[in-house]
Amino acid sequence: MEFTCPSCNTVLEAQKLGDVRVWKCASCSGLVVTIPTVRKGLDPKAFKKIWQKLYSAEPDTGRPCPGCRNPLSMVEADAQDAEILIDVCRSCQILWFDDKEFSSLPRVEPETQPDVTRRDAREKRPESRVLTPDRKSTRLNSSHRCIS
């Protein structure tokens, strides 16, 4: 899909921002991000507030959507320093962020998990039970050897 900047009217460039795919305006640095992508990376409470505001009342409408060109809905969102206005298109399922707005939203902190080697993972694997032809339960260890 091709997106056009609602501020500059230039074609947006698809790019990666960390592990997130966005479409960025080379002129004003605005971003288009899909709602599912924002939902995954944003603090759940912050996303819920945006979602509730979007559907609780008739939001103000503003600039044209970068995709379908219909008016974007404007909703307030809590950023790190202050409230910001985010432009949302319900039909295209995208959000428009002016320069630095996307980076100011509260993020989900990534969970750090310890490295587990394959050997450690095998040792922690639970025993399996299979039925033999005489319908007795036989236990198998992680290397699939009978240990009845």
Side-chain angles (χ1 to χ4, degrees):
M1 178 175 228
E2 186 174 284
F3 294 113
T4 304
C5 178
S7 299
C8 307
N9 208 29
T10 58
V11 175
L12 303 179
E13 301 168 6
Q15 41 184 260
K16 286 275 199 176
L17 186 65
D19 61 344
V20 176
R21 183 177 178 161
V22 299
W23 289 263
K24 187 173 183 177
C25 178
S27 178
C28 70
S29 298
L31 295 175
V32 165
V33 185
T34 63
I35 288 176
T37 300
V38 172
R39 184 176 189 177
K40 288 178 193 173
L42 198 60
D43 175 70
K45 290 178 186 175
F47 183 80
K48 186 177 180 179
K49 282 183 182 180
I50 293 170
W51 196 254
Q52 287 174 337
K53 287 178 183 179
L54 182 60
Y55 286 98
S56 65
E58 194 58 38
D60 294 333
T61 56
R63 302 179 271 199
C65 170
C68 68
R69 307 307 289 168
N70 289 325
L72 291 165
S73 300
M74 297 186 324
V75 294
E76 290 180 357
D78 295 330
Q80 293 172 353
D81 299 329
E83 284 197 347
I84 58 173
L85 283 176
I86 298 174
D87 302 291
V88 183
C89 181
R90 294 184 205 184
S91 59
C92 291
Q93 297 285 297
I94 61 168
L95 292 97
W96 171 259
F97 295 95
D98 292 319
D99 188 26
K100 299 196 181 11
E101 285 180 339
F102 184 63
S103 61
S104 70
L105 293 173
R107 303 270 185 227
V108 171
E109 292 298 321
E111 294 181 23
T112 55
Q113 296 187 5
D115 290 337
V116 177
T117 63
R118 288 184 141 190
R119 183 174 170 207
D120 291 340
R122 273 193 302 250
E123 290 171 0
K124 293 178 183 178
R125 200 178 295 162
E127 294 178 350
S128 301
R129 294 189 181 271
V130 294
L131 291 177
T132 59
D134 62 355
R135 304 255 185 223
K136 291 181 183 175
S137 176
T138 303
R139 292 184 298 159
L140 299 176
N141 65 13
S142 61
S143 57
H144 305 293
R145 292 192 183 105
C146 288
I147 56 173
S148 318

